[in-house]
Coordinates of all heavy atoms in Angstrom, one line a residue:
P1 N 14.1 -14.9 -12.8 CA 13.1 -14.6 -11.8 C 13.1 -13.1 -11.4 O 14.2 -12.4 -11.5 CB 13.6 -15.4 -10.5 CG 14.9 -15.9 -10.9 CD 15.2 -15.7 -12.3
M2 N 12.0 -12.6 -11.0 CA 11.8 -11.2 -10.7 C 12.0 -11.0 -9.2 O 11.4 -11.9 -8.4 CB 10.4 -10.7 -11.1 CG 10.2 -9.3 -10.9 SD 8.6 -8.7 -11.4 CE 7.7 -8.7 -9.9
R3 N 12.7 -9.9 -8.7 CA 12.8 -9.7 -7.4 C 11.9 -8.5 -7.0 O 11.7 -7.6 -7.9 CB 14.2 -9.3 -7.0 CG 15.1 -10.4 -7.1 CD 16.5 -10.1 -6.5 NE 17.1 -8.9 -7.1 CZ 18.1 -8.2 -6.6 NH1 18.7 -8.7 -5.4 NH2 18.5 -7.1 -7.1
A4 N 11.3 -8.4 -5.9 CA 10.5 -7.2 -5.5 C 10.5 -7.0 -4.0 O 10.8 -7.9 -3.2 CB 9.0 -7.7 -5.9
V5 N 10.3 -5.8 -3.6 CA 10.2 -5.4 -2.2 C 8.6 -5.3 -2.1 O 8.0 -4.5 -2.8 CB 10.9 -4.1 -1.9 CG1 10.5 -3.7 -0.5 CG2 12.4 -4.3 -2.1
Q6 N 8.2 -6.1 -1.1 CA 6.7 -6.1 -0.9 C 6.4 -5.8 0.6 O 7.1 -6.1 1.5 CB 6.1 -7.5 -1.2 CG 6.2 -7.8 -2.6 CD 5.6 -9.2 -3.0 OE1 5.5 -10.1 -2.2 NE2 5.1 -9.3 -4.2
A7 N 5.3 -5.1 0.7 CA 4.7 -4.8 2.1 C 3.9 -5.9 2.5 O 3.1 -6.5 1.7 CB 3.9 -3.5 2.0
Q8 N 4.1 -6.4 3.7 CA 3.3 -7.5 4.3 C 2.0 -7.1 4.9 O 1.2 -7.9 5.4 CB 4.2 -8.4 5.1 CG 5.4 -8.8 4.6 CD 5.3 -9.5 3.3 OE1 4.6 -10.5 3.2 NE2 6.0 -9.1 2.3
G9 N 1.8 -5.8 5.2 CA 0.7 -5.3 5.8 C 0.9 -3.8 6.2 O 1.9 -3.2 5.7
F10 N -0.1 -3.1 6.7 CA 0.2 -1.7 7.1 C 1.1 -1.6 8.3 O 1.1 -2.5 9.2 CB -1.2 -1.1 7.5 CG -2.1 -0.9 6.3 CD1 -3.3 -1.6 6.2 CD2 -1.8 0.0 5.3 CE1 -4.1 -1.4 5.1 CE2 -2.6 0.2 4.2 CZ -3.8 -0.5 4.1
G11 N 1.9 -0.6 8.3 CA 2.8 -0.3 9.4 C 3.9 0.6 9.0 O 3.8 1.2 7.8
R12 N 4.8 0.9 9.8 CA 5.9 1.8 9.5 C 7.0 1.2 8.7 O 7.6 0.3 9.1 CB 6.4 2.4 10.9 CG 7.3 3.5 10.7 CD 7.5 4.2 12.0 NE 8.5 5.2 12.0 CZ 8.2 6.5 11.5 NH1 7.0 6.7 11.1 NH2 9.2 7.4 11.5
P13 N 7.1 1.7 7.5 CA 8.3 1.3 6.7 C 9.6 1.7 7.4 O 9.6 2.7 8.1 CB 8.2 2.0 5.4 CG 6.8 2.5 5.3 CD 6.3 2.7 6.7
P14 N 10.7 1.0 7.4 CA 10.8 -0.3 6.5 C 10.4 -1.6 7.2 O 10.6 -2.6 6.7 CB 12.4 -0.2 6.2 CG 12.9 0.4 7.4 CD 11.9 1.4 7.9
A15 N 9.9 -1.5 8.5 CA 9.6 -2.7 9.2 C 8.6 -3.7 8.4 O 8.7 -4.9 8.6 CB 9.0 -2.3 10.6
V16 N 7.7 -3.1 7.6 CA 6.7 -4.0 7.0 C 7.1 -4.4 5.6 O 6.4 -5.1 4.9 CB 5.3 -3.3 6.8 CG1 4.8 -2.9 8.2 CG2 5.5 -2.0 6.0
L17 N 8.4 -4.0 5.2 CA 8.8 -4.4 3.8 C 9.7 -5.6 3.9 O 10.6 -5.8 4.8 CB 9.6 -3.2 3.2 CG 8.8 -1.9 3.1 CD1 9.7 -0.8 2.6 CD2 7.6 -2.1 2.0
R18 N 9.6 -6.4 2.9 CA 10.4 -7.7 2.8 C 10.9 -7.8 1.3 O 10.1 -7.5 0.4 CB 9.6 -8.9 3.1 CG 9.1 -8.9 4.5 CD 10.2 -9.2 5.6 NE 9.6 -9.2 6.8 CZ 9.5 -8.2 7.7 NH1 10.0 -7.0 7.3 NH2 9.0 -8.3 8.9
L19 N 12.1 -8.2 1.1 CA 12.6 -8.6 -0.2 C 12.1 -10.0 -0.6 O 12.4 -10.9 0.1 CB 14.1 -8.5 -0.3 CG 14.8 -8.9 -1.6 CD1 14.4 -8.0 -2.7 CD2 16.3 -9.0 -1.5
V20 N 11.5 -10.1 -1.8 CA 11.0 -11.3 -2.3 C 11.9 -11.7 -3.5 O 11.9 -10.9 -4.4 CB 9.5 -11.3 -2.7 CG1 9.1 -12.6 -3.3 CG2 8.7 -10.9 -1.5
E21 N 12.7 -12.7 -3.4 CA 13.7 -13.1 -4.4 C 13.0 -13.7 -5.7 O 13.6 -13.5 -6.8 CB 14.6 -14.0 -3.9 CG 15.6 -13.6 -2.9 CD 16.7 -12.6 -3.4 OE1 16.9 -12.5 -4.6 OE2 17.2 -11.8 -2.6
E22 N 11.8 -14.3 -5.6 CA 11.2 -14.9 -6.7 C 9.7 -14.5 -6.8 O 8.8 -15.3 -6.6 CB 11.4 -16.4 -6.7 CG 12.8 -16.8 -7.0 CD 13.0 -18.3 -7.3 OE1 12.1 -18.9 -7.8 OE2 14.1 -18.8 -7.0
A23 N 9.5 -13.3 -7.1 CA 8.1 -12.8 -7.2 C 7.5 -13.1 -8.6 O 8.2 -13.2 -9.6 CB 8.1 -11.2 -7.0
P24 N 6.2 -13.3 -8.6 CA 5.6 -13.6 -10.0 C 5.7 -12.4 -10.9 O 5.6 -11.3 -10.5 CB 4.1 -13.9 -9.7 CG 3.9 -13.4 -8.3 CD 5.3 -13.3 -7.6
R25 N 5.9 -12.7 -12.2 CA 6.0 -11.6 -13.2 C 4.7 -11.0 -13.4 O 3.6 -11.8 -13.6 CB 6.5 -12.3 -14.5 CG 6.7 -11.3 -15.6 CD 7.1 -11.9 -16.9 NE 7.0 -11.0 -18.0 CZ 7.8 -11.0 -19.1 NH1 8.7 -11.9 -19.1 NH2 7.6 -10.1 -20.0
P26 N 4.6 -9.7 -13.4 CA 3.2 -9.1 -13.7 C 2.8 -9.3 -15.1 O 3.5 -9.6 -16.0 CB 3.5 -7.6 -13.5 CG 4.9 -7.4 -13.1 CD 5.5 -8.8 -13.3
R27 N 1.5 -9.4 -15.3 CA 0.9 -9.6 -16.6 C 0.4 -8.2 -17.1 O -0.1 -7.4 -16.4 CB -0.4 -10.4 -16.5 CG 0.0 -11.8 -16.1 CD -1.2 -12.8 -16.1 NE -0.7 -14.0 -16.5 CZ -1.4 -14.8 -17.3 NH1 -2.6 -14.5 -17.7 NH2 -0.9 -16.0 -17.6
R28 N 0.7 -8.0 -18.4 CA 0.4 -6.6 -19.0 C -1.0 -6.7 -19.6 O -1.4 -7.7 -20.2 CB 1.4 -6.4 -20.2 CG 1.1 -5.1 -20.9 CD 2.0 -4.9 -22.1 NE 1.8 -6.0 -23.1 CZ 0.8 -6.0 -24.0 NH1 -0.1 -5.1 -24.0 NH2 0.7 -7.0 -24.8
A29 N -1.8 -5.8 -19.2 CA -3.2 -5.7 -19.7 C -3.1 -4.9 -21.0 O -2.2 -4.2 -21.3 CB -4.1 -4.9 -18.8
P30 N -4.2 -5.0 -21.9 CA -4.2 -4.3 -23.2 C -4.1 -2.8 -22.9 O -4.6 -2.2 -21.9 CB -5.5 -4.6 -23.8 CG -5.8 -5.9 -23.2 CD -5.3 -5.9 -21.8
G31 N -3.2 -2.0 -23.6 CA -3.0 -0.6 -23.5 C -2.0 -0.3 -22.4 O -1.7 0.9 -22.2
Q32 N -1.4 -1.3 -21.8 CA -0.3 -1.0 -20.8 C 1.0 -1.4 -21.3 O 1.2 -2.2 -22.3 CB -0.7 -1.8 -19.5 CG -1.9 -1.3 -18.8 CD -2.1 -2.1 -17.5 OE1 -1.6 -3.2 -17.3 NE2 -2.8 -1.5 -16.6
L33 N 2.0 -1.0 -20.6 CA 3.5 -1.4 -20.9 C 3.9 -2.3 -19.9 O 3.4 -2.3 -18.7 CB 4.4 -0.2 -20.8 CG 4.1 1.0 -21.7 CD1 5.0 2.2 -21.3 CD2 4.4 0.6 -23.2
L34 N 4.8 -3.2 -20.2 CA 5.5 -4.0 -19.2 C 7.0 -3.6 -19.2 O 7.6 -3.5 -20.3 CB 5.5 -5.5 -19.6 CG 6.1 -6.5 -18.6 CD1 5.4 -6.4 -17.2 CD2 6.1 -7.9 -19.1
L35 N 7.5 -3.1 -18.0 CA 8.8 -2.6 -17.9 C 9.7 -3.6 -17.2 O 9.3 -4.3 -16.2 CB 8.9 -1.3 -17.1 CG 8.0 -0.2 -17.6 CD1 8.1 1.0 -16.6 CD2 8.6 0.3 -18.9
R36 N 11.0 -3.7 -17.6 CA 12.0 -4.3 -16.8 C 12.6 -3.2 -15.9 O 13.3 -2.3 -16.4 CB 13.1 -4.9 -17.6 CG 14.2 -5.5 -16.8 CD 15.3 -6.2 -17.7 NE 14.8 -7.0 -18.8 CZ 14.4 -8.3 -18.6 NH1 14.6 -8.9 -17.5 NH2 13.9 -8.9 -19.6
V37 N 12.2 -3.2 -14.7 CA 12.6 -2.1 -13.8 C 14.0 -2.3 -13.3 O 14.4 -3.3 -12.8 CB 11.6 -2.0 -12.6 CG1 12.1 -1.0 -11.6 CG2 10.2 -1.7 -13.0
M38 N 14.8 -1.2 -13.5 CA 16.2 -1.2 -13.1 C 16.4 -0.5 -11.7 O 17.3 -0.8 -11.0 CB 17.1 -0.6 -14.2 CG 16.9 -1.2 -15.5 SD 17.1 -3.0 -15.5 CE 18.8 -3.1 -15.4
A39 N 15.5 0.5 -11.5 CA 15.6 1.3 -10.2 C 14.2 1.7 -9.8 O 13.4 2.0 -10.7 CB 16.5 2.5 -10.4
C40 N 13.9 1.7 -8.6 CA 12.6 2.1 -8.1 C 12.8 2.7 -6.7 O 13.7 2.4 -6.0 CB 11.8 0.9 -7.9 SG 10.1 1.2 -7.3
S41 N 11.9 3.7 -6.4 CA 12.0 4.4 -5.1 C 10.6 4.4 -4.5 O 9.7 4.3 -5.2 CB 12.6 5.8 -5.2 OG 11.6 6.6 -5.9
L42 N 10.6 4.5 -3.2 CA 9.4 4.7 -2.5 C 9.3 6.2 -2.2 O 10.1 6.8 -1.6 CB 9.4 4.0 -1.1 CG 9.3 2.4 -1.3 CD1 9.4 1.8 0.1 CD2 8.2 1.9 -2.0
S43 N 8.2 6.7 -2.7 CA 8.0 8.2 -2.5 C 7.4 8.5 -1.1 O 6.9 7.5 -0.5 CB 7.1 8.7 -3.6 OG 5.7 8.2 -3.4
P44 N 7.4 9.7 -0.7 CA 6.7 10.1 0.6 C 5.2 9.6 0.5 O 4.7 9.2 1.6 CB 6.7 11.6 0.6 CG 8.0 11.9 -0.2 CD 8.0 10.9 -1.3
G45 N 4.5 9.6 -0.6 CA 3.2 9.1 -0.7 C 3.1 7.6 -0.4 O 2.2 7.1 0.3
D46 N 4.1 6.8 -0.9 CA 4.1 5.3 -0.6 C 4.2 5.2 0.9 O 3.6 4.3 1.5 CB 5.3 4.7 -1.3 CG 5.1 4.7 -2.8 OD1 4.1 4.4 -3.3 OD2 6.2 4.9 -3.5
W47 N 5.1 5.9 1.6 CA 5.3 5.8 3.0 C 4.1 6.2 3.8 O 3.7 5.4 4.7 CB 6.5 6.7 3.5 CG 7.9 6.2 3.1 CD1 8.3 6.1 1.8 CD2 8.8 5.6 4.0 NE1 9.6 5.5 1.9 CE2 9.8 5.2 3.2 CE3 8.9 5.4 5.3 CZ2 11.0 4.6 3.7 CZ3 10.0 4.9 5.9 CH2 11.0 4.4 5.1
R48 N 3.4 7.2 3.4 CA 2.1 7.6 4.1 C 1.1 6.5 3.9 O 0.4 6.1 4.8 CB 1.6 8.9 3.6 CG 2.4 10.1 4.1 CD 1.7 11.4 3.8 NE 1.6 11.7 2.4 CZ 2.5 12.2 1.6 NH1 3.7 12.6 2.1 NH2 2.3 12.5 0.3
M49 N 1.0 6.0 2.6 CA 0.0 5.0 2.4 C 0.3 3.7 3.2 O -0.7 3.2 3.8 CB 0.0 4.7 0.9 CG -1.0 3.7 0.4 SD -0.4 1.9 0.3 CE 1.1 2.1 -0.7
L50 N 1.5 3.3 3.2 CA 1.8 2.0 3.9 C 1.6 2.2 5.5 O 1.4 1.3 6.2 CB 3.3 1.6 3.6 CG 3.5 1.1 2.3 CD1 5.0 0.8 2.0 CD2 2.7 -0.2 2.0
S51 N 1.8 3.5 5.9 CA 1.6 3.8 7.4 C 0.1 4.0 7.7 O -0.2 4.2 8.8 CB 2.4 5.1 7.7 OG 3.7 4.9 7.5
G52 N -0.8 3.9 6.7 CA -2.2 4.0 6.9 C -2.7 5.4 7.0 O -3.7 5.7 7.5
Q53 N -1.8 6.4 6.5 CA -2.2 7.8 6.6 C -2.8 8.4 5.4 O -3.0 9.6 5.3 CB -0.9 8.6 6.9 CG -0.3 8.2 8.2 CD 1.1 8.8 8.4 OE1 1.4 9.8 7.7 NE2 1.9 8.4 9.4
C54 N -3.3 7.5 4.5 CA -3.9 8.0 3.2 C -5.4 7.6 3.3 O -5.8 6.7 4.0 CB -3.3 7.3 2.0 SG -1.7 8.1 1.5
D55 N -6.1 8.3 2.4 CA -7.5 8.0 2.1 C -7.6 6.5 1.7 O -6.7 6.0 1.0 CB -7.8 9.0 1.0 CG -9.0 8.7 0.2 OD1 -9.4 7.6 0.0 OD2 -9.6 9.7 -0.2
K56 N -8.7 5.9 2.1 CA -8.9 4.4 1.8 C -8.8 4.1 0.4 O -8.5 3.0 0.0 CB -10.2 4.0 2.5 CG -10.1 3.9 4.0 CD -11.4 3.4 4.5 CE -11.3 3.4 6.0 NZ -12.5 2.8 6.7
V57 N -9.2 5.0 -0.5 CA -9.2 4.8 -2.0 C -7.8 4.5 -2.4 O -7.6 3.7 -3.3 CB -9.8 6.0 -2.7 CG1 -9.6 5.8 -4.2 CG2 -11.2 6.2 -2.4
K58 N -6.8 5.1 -1.8 CA -5.4 4.9 -2.3 C -4.7 3.7 -1.6 O -3.5 3.5 -1.9 CB -4.6 6.2 -2.0 CG -5.1 7.4 -2.8 CD -4.4 8.6 -2.5 CE -5.0 9.8 -3.2 NZ -4.4 11.1 -2.9
R59 N -5.3 3.1 -0.6 CA -4.7 2.0 0.1 C -4.7 0.8 -0.7 O -5.6 0.5 -1.5 CB -5.4 1.8 1.5 CG -5.2 2.9 2.4 CD -5.8 2.6 3.7 NE -5.7 3.8 4.6 CZ -6.3 3.7 5.8 NH1 -6.9 2.7 6.3 NH2 -6.2 4.8 6.6
P60 N -3.7 -0.1 -0.5 CA -3.8 -1.4 -1.2 C -4.9 -2.2 -0.7 O -5.4 -2.1 0.4 CB -2.5 -2.1 -0.8 CG -1.7 -1.2 0.2 CD -2.5 0.0 0.3
R61 N -5.5 -3.0 -1.7 CA -6.7 -3.8 -1.3 C -6.4 -5.1 -0.7 O -7.2 -5.8 -0.1 CB -7.5 -4.0 -2.7 CG -8.0 -2.7 -3.3 CD -9.0 -3.0 -4.3 NE -9.3 -1.8 -5.2 CZ -10.1 -0.8 -4.8 NH1 -10.6 -0.8 -3.6 NH2 -10.3 0.2 -5.6
S62 N -5.1 -5.6 -0.9 CA -4.7 -6.8 -0.3 C -3.2 -6.8 -0.2 O -2.5 -6.1 -0.8 CB -5.2 -8.0 -1.2 OG -4.5 -8.0 -2.5
F63 N -2.7 -7.8 0.6 CA -1.2 -8.0 0.9 C -0.9 -9.4 0.5 O -1.8 -10.3 0.7 CB -0.9 -7.6 2.3 CG -1.1 -6.2 2.6 CD1 -2.2 -5.7 3.2 CD2 0.0 -5.3 2.4 CE1 -2.4 -4.4 3.6 CE2 -0.2 -3.9 2.6 CZ -1.4 -3.5 3.3
P64 N 0.4 -9.6 0.1 CA 1.4 -8.7 0.0 C 1.2 -7.7 -1.2 O 0.5 -8.1 -2.1 CB 2.7 -9.6 -0.3 CG 2.2 -10.8 -0.9 CD 0.8 -11.0 -0.3
Y65 N 1.7 -6.5 -1.1 CA 1.5 -5.4 -1.9 C 2.9 -4.9 -2.3 O 3.9 -4.7 -1.5 CB 0.8 -4.3 -1.3 CG 0.7 -3.0 -2.1 CD1 -0.1 -2.9 -3.2 CD2 1.4 -1.9 -1.7 CE1 -0.2 -1.7 -3.9 CE2 1.4 -0.8 -2.4 CZ 0.6 -0.7 -3.5 OH 0.5 0.5 -4.2
T66 N 3.1 -4.7 -3.7 CA 4.4 -4.1 -4.2 C 4.3 -2.7 -4.4 O 3.6 -2.2 -5.4 CB 4.8 -4.9 -5.5 OG1 4.8 -6.3 -5.2 CG2 6.2 -4.4 -5.9
P67 N 4.8 -1.9 -3.5 CA 4.7 -0.4 -3.7 C 5.7 0.2 -4.6 O 6.7 -0.6 -5.0 CB 4.9 0.2 -2.2 CG 5.9 -0.8 -1.7 CD 5.5 -2.2 -2.2
G68 N 5.7 1.4 -5.0 CA 6.7 2.0 -5.8 C 6.4 2.3 -7.2 O 6.4 1.4 -8.1
G69 N 5.9 3.5 -7.5 CA 5.5 3.9 -8.8 C 6.5 4.7 -9.5 O 6.4 5.1 -10.6
D70 N 7.6 5.1 -8.8 CA 8.6 5.9 -9.3 C 9.7 5.0 -9.8 O 10.5 4.5 -9.0 CB 9.2 6.9 -8.3 CG 8.2 7.9 -7.7 OD1 7.3 8.1 -8.4 OD2 8.3 8.3 -6.6
V71 N 9.8 4.7 -11.1 CA 10.6 3.7 -11.7 C 11.5 4.2 -12.9 O 11.1 5.1 -13.5 CB 9.8 2.4 -12.1 CG1 9.1 1.8 -10.9 CG2 8.9 2.7 -13.2
S72 N 12.5 3.5 -13.1 CA 13.3 3.7 -14.3 C 13.6 2.3 -14.8 O 13.9 1.4 -14.1 CB 14.6 4.4 -14.0 OG 15.4 4.5 -15.1
G73 N 13.4 2.1 -16.2 CA 13.6 0.8 -16.7 C 13.5 0.8 -18.3 O 13.5 1.9 -18.9
T74 N 13.3 -0.4 -18.8 CA 13.2 -0.6 -20.2 C 11.9 -1.2 -20.5 O 11.5 -2.2 -19.9 CB 14.4 -1.5 -20.7 OG1 15.6 -1.0 -20.3 CG2 14.4 -1.7 -22.2
V75 N 11.3 -0.8 -21.6 CA 10.0 -1.4 -22.0 C 10.4 -2.8 -22.6 O 11.2 -2.9 -23.5 CB 9.3 -0.6 -23.1 CG1 8.0 -1.3 -23.6 CG2 8.9 0.8 -22.4
V76 N 9.7 -3.8 -22.2 CA 9.9 -5.2 -22.7 C 8.7 -5.7 -23.5 O 8.8 -6.6 -24.3 CB 10.3 -6.2 -21.6 CG1 11.7 -5.8 -21.1 CG2 9.3 -6.3 -20.5
E77 N 7.5 -5.1 -23.2 CA 6.3 -5.5 -23.9 C 5.4 -4.3 -24.1 O 5.2 -3.6 -23.1 CB 5.5 -6.6 -23.2 CG 6.1 -8.0 -23.4 CD 5.1 -9.0 -22.6 OE1 3.9 -8.8 -22.5 OE2 5.7 -10.0 -22.2
C78 N 4.7 -4.2 -25.2 CA 3.6 -3.2 -25.4 C 2.8 -3.5 -26.6 O 3.3 -4.2 -27.4 CB 4.2 -1.7 -25.4 SG 5.0 -1.2 -26.9
D79 N 1.7 -3.0 -26.7 CA 0.8 -3.1 -27.9 C 0.8 -1.7 -28.5 O 1.3 -0.7 -28.0 CB -0.5 -3.7 -27.6 CG -1.3 -2.9 -26.6 OD1 -1.0 -1.7 -26.4 OD2 -2.2 -3.5 -26.0
E80 N 0.0 -1.8 -29.7 CA 0.0 -0.5 -30.5 C -0.6 0.6 -29.6 O -0.2 1.8 -29.7 CB -0.8 -0.7 -31.7 CG -0.8 0.4 -32.7 CD -1.4 0.1 -34.0 OE1 -1.4 -1.1 -34.5 OE2 -2.1 1.0 -34.5
A81 N -1.7 0.4 -28.8 CA -2.3 1.4 -28.1 C -1.3 2.0 -27.0 O -1.3 3.1 -26.8 CB -3.6 0.9 -27.4
A82 N -0.6 1.1 -26.4 CA 0.4 1.6 -25.3 C 1.5 2.3 -25.9 O 2.1 3.2 -25.3 CB 0.9 0.4 -24.5
A83 N 1.9 2.0 -27.2 CA 3.0 2.7 -27.8 C 2.6 4.0 -28.4 O 3.3 4.7 -29.0 CB 3.5 1.8 -29.0
G84 N 1.3 4.4 -28.3 CA 0.8 5.7 -28.8 C 0.2 5.5 -30.2 O -0.2 6.5 -30.7
G85 N 0.1 4.3 -30.8 CA -0.5 4.2 -32.1 C -2.1 4.0 -32.0 O -2.6 4.2 -33.1
G86 N -2.5 3.7 -30.9 CA -4.0 3.5 -30.8 C -4.7 4.9 -30.6 O -4.1 5.9 -30.1
G87 N -5.9 5.0 -30.9 CA -6.6 6.3 -30.8 C -6.9 6.6 -29.4 O -6.7 5.9 -28.5
G88 N -7.4 7.8 -29.2 CA -7.9 8.2 -27.8 C -6.9 8.8 -27.0 O -7.2 9.0 -25.8
G89 N -5.7 9.0 -27.4 CA -4.7 9.5 -26.4 C -5.0 11.0 -26.0 O -6.0 11.5 -26.3
G90 N -4.1 11.4 -25.2 CA -4.4 12.8 -24.6 C -3.3 13.7 -24.7 O -2.2 13.4 -25.2

């Protein structure tokens, strides 16, 4: 089972964050990687977003929401495009 820290709504972290012991496993879309995350942090941007201090474009569209884009882990799934074998890279 996957564990995740999820925000239950907008507010001041850490009050809005909860540990979910059995979160659903994310699905990988074509061209994306699926990582087994070993460590994750909430950046100042995550804190501002959860506090409602960001532009509406950057806010989560629904809750619960799993914040944290600063991660370290191992790739467990990818396709050729995600591995750099597909065309159109930059």
Side-chain angles (χ1 to χ4, degrees):
M2 186 180 99
R3 295 186 310 161
V5 173
Q6 294 183 331
Q8 306 304 309
F10 290 112
R12 189 164 175 82
V16 296
L17 300 174
R18 302 284 179 269
L19 176 63
V20 177
E21 292 287 344
E22 293 193 25
R25 180 183 168 147
R27 296 182 143 219
R28 180 187 62 79
Q32 293 183 338
L33 302 172
L34 181 64
L35 300 175
R36 178 179 312 273
V37 176
M38 305 308 282
C40 179
S41 69
L42 294 179
S43 70
D46 292 318
W47 284 70
R48 284 191 299 277
M49 183 264 311
L50 290 173
S51 297
Q53 299 173 9
C54 280
D55 163 326
K56 290 183 180 179
V57 172
K58 297 179 184 175
R59 292 184 187 176
R61 298 188 192 285
S62 63
F63 291 97
Y65 171 75
T66 306
D70 299 332
V71 300
S72 175
T74 305
V75 175
V76 293
E77 285 182 25
C78 75
D79 57 21
E80 190 175 322

